[in-house]
Amino acid sequence: MSELYNDNPTLDFLKQQKNIDEDKQGNVFFQEKGSSKDKNAKHFYIESYGCQMNFSDSEIVASILMDTGYSPTRNMEESDLILINTCSIREKAEDTVRKRLRVFDKIKAKRPGTLVGVLGCMAERLKKKLLDQEKLVDLVVGPDAYRDLPKLVAGAEEGDKGVNVLLSREETYADINPVRIQSNGVTAFISIMRGCDNMCSFCVVPFTRGRERSRDAFSIVAEATQLFEKGFREVTLLGQNVDSYKWENPEDKSVVNFAQLMEMVALIHPDLRIRFSTSHPKDITDEVLHTMAKYENICKYIHLPVQSGNSRVLKLMNRTYDREWYKERVDSIYRIIPDCAISSDVIAGFCSETEEEHQDSLSIIEYAQYTMSYMFIYSERPGTLAARKYDDDIPEAVKKRRLQEIIRLQNQISYKRNQTDIGKTFKVLIEGTSKRSDQDFKGRNTQNKMVIFPVDERYKAGDYVYVKVYEASSATLKGNMVEKP
Ligand code: SAH
Ligand code: SF4
Ligand code: F3S
């Protein structure tokens, strides 16, 4: 441990933490089966769908399985245990999972001993029913039951189907050191809370993830500190609603809110960037915005899903803010952090949405000047408030047309905004070489925009460089490295 952290309160926590395994943090090296190192080890293969929380959970699952002697593999054909971490947010998400299960069936036909486990939100939503529908599935494990995996897997090896979908009010996996299975070694996710108490009427998450709970602040700072020491340079603090993060220290009853947590992480090192997701418009405070403005290493980017720009629809959605409130939050962001980028989620064709109300969604996109948005057609989810109370009455063709209008407008805005970046110089964290060409580096600026620029041998992933932009599309900026301005 370097000098740097000697006065860091998390040091004690780090020392106390039993579960830290130096070899497991950082990149995992996937061993091919049969290599001398782990000839006898069993292998698991895991695929993740859905939100970042699910990807982060898969890293917790990997850690738990590796403690029981399973090694990760990237090749599902040679794995003894195939896991799929699933999402239920829209019908399509579940369809994708079912399609993957058909692929796993074929592997099982070839290698009958292979176990298949369904984890995550679809496991939680369908529970035991999933075993009736999917005869070849051996395990169904919900998001709060991953500590039970070793027992369930051992049972399944003996031929017992295993189900644990109990939700918890306390589980945060705070003491589990996630294994960064898909990592680029530069950026990492840290879950800071679980569950959601909001009950937006369209949303299945409160049912699949349970009640909201915040994780021990010191365990979060400890994890971020460790990541920094391993060479990581960016952490994204994750939760369904990070602005309602609230952790009470059991020792002195002091409370840490989200702004304070962010500050604690920002103070680890100026070269550790902090991002976070997702912010709820009803909860994002000026204190959070001022903390963002105060620290250069807190990225100037907020994902602030609006869902709809119309107050009546927002009320039906149970979002608990209206159009005016949302606009005021956007104004405050641009006032306190003038160079901040905002992105959004928008739903097209929610129950009873009229053409005028749809126009309100378009005009709020224009108002907020989002750098990008995730845009969806409303998909009714069984058991949600909207499914019980409102008719899913917008014809599919109308939903699709509205979505297209939203996408077209957002693309125009993204393009226009990115054009204004031409000629500007940004500090960029190199994440690796670009997908398209290994002659180019890719990285992000503080506003979370992807920047592509020619490889320079003097630099590597994890370094900060300055890039002057000469070209921009709606999705990426292209530039050349320059000296620090
Ligand atoms: N906690 C985050 C969002 C989590 S789900 C928040 O409150 O902003 C991610 C996005 O999926 C949501 O923001 C919403 O836009 C979309 N979504 C959720 N349920 C949906 C549904 N039933 N149909 C279509 N989109 C949905
Ligand atoms: Fe779903 Fe709303 Fe919770 Fe987000 S805040 S996860 S949309 S219920
Ligand atoms: Fe999907 Fe569950 Fe995330 S429903 S979006 S994986 S919380």
Side-chain angles (χ1 to χ4, degrees), residues 28-44 66 69-74 78-80:
V28 172
F29 297 100
F30 289 83
Q31 291 142 3
E32 294 311 314
K33 200 166 186 176
S35 72
S36 57
K37 244 185 161 178
D38 70 339
K39 214 176 272 168
N40 302 316
K42 295 205 164 164
H43 285 75
F44 72 93
M66 285 171 79
Y70 268 84
S71 298
T73 174
R74 284 208 173 98
E78 65 162 34
S79 67
D80 305 281

Side-chain angles (χ1 to χ4, degrees), residues 89-90 202-203 240 278 280 305 307 319 345 347 376-379 381:
I89 202 83
R90 285 166 289 275
F202 51 78
C203 185
Q240 293 299 350
T278 302
H280 196 297
Q307 314 298 1
R319 287 291 285 181
D345 294 347
I347 297 178
F376 311 105
I377 280 180
Y378 172 60
S379 163
R381 306 311 293 133

Side-chain angles (χ1 to χ4, degrees), residues 27-78:
N27 277 322
V28 172
F29 297 100
F30 289 83
Q31 291 142 3
E32 294 311 314
K33 200 166 186 176
S35 72
S36 57
K37 244 185 161 178
D38 70 339
K39 214 176 272 168
N40 302 316
K42 295 205 164 164
H43 285 75
F44 72 93
Y45 165 89
I46 187 162
E47 268 179 24
S48 310
Y49 295 85
C51 62
Q52 293 164 335
M53 296 286 298
N54 250 17
F55 286 77
S56 169
D57 279 2
S58 292
E59 299 182 334
I60 288 167
V61 167
S63 177
I64 291 171
L65 287 174
M66 285 171 79
D67 279 343
T68 67
Y70 268 84
S71 298
T73 174
R74 284 208 173 98
N75 181 358
M76 71 172 146
E77 306 259 350
E78 65 162 34

Side-chain angles (χ1 to χ4, degrees), residues 51 88-91 195-196 198 200-205 239-242 277-281 303-307 317 319 321 344-348 350 374-381 384 386:
C51 62
S88 288
I89 202 83
R90 285 166 289 275
E91 203 175 342
C196 183
N198 280 325
C200 301
S201 64
F202 51 78
C203 185
V204 78
V205 172
Q240 293 299 350
N241 182 6
V242 289
S277 189
T278 302
S279 292
H280 196 297
H303 185 55
L304 193 72
V306 68
Q307 314 298 1
M317 288 177 163
R319 287 291 285 181
Y321 55 84
S344 192
D345 294 347
V346 188
I347 297 178
F350 186 65
Y374 298 100
M375 300 157 281
F376 311 105
I377 280 180
Y378 172 60
S379 163
E380 187 177 82
R381 306 311 293 133
T384 55

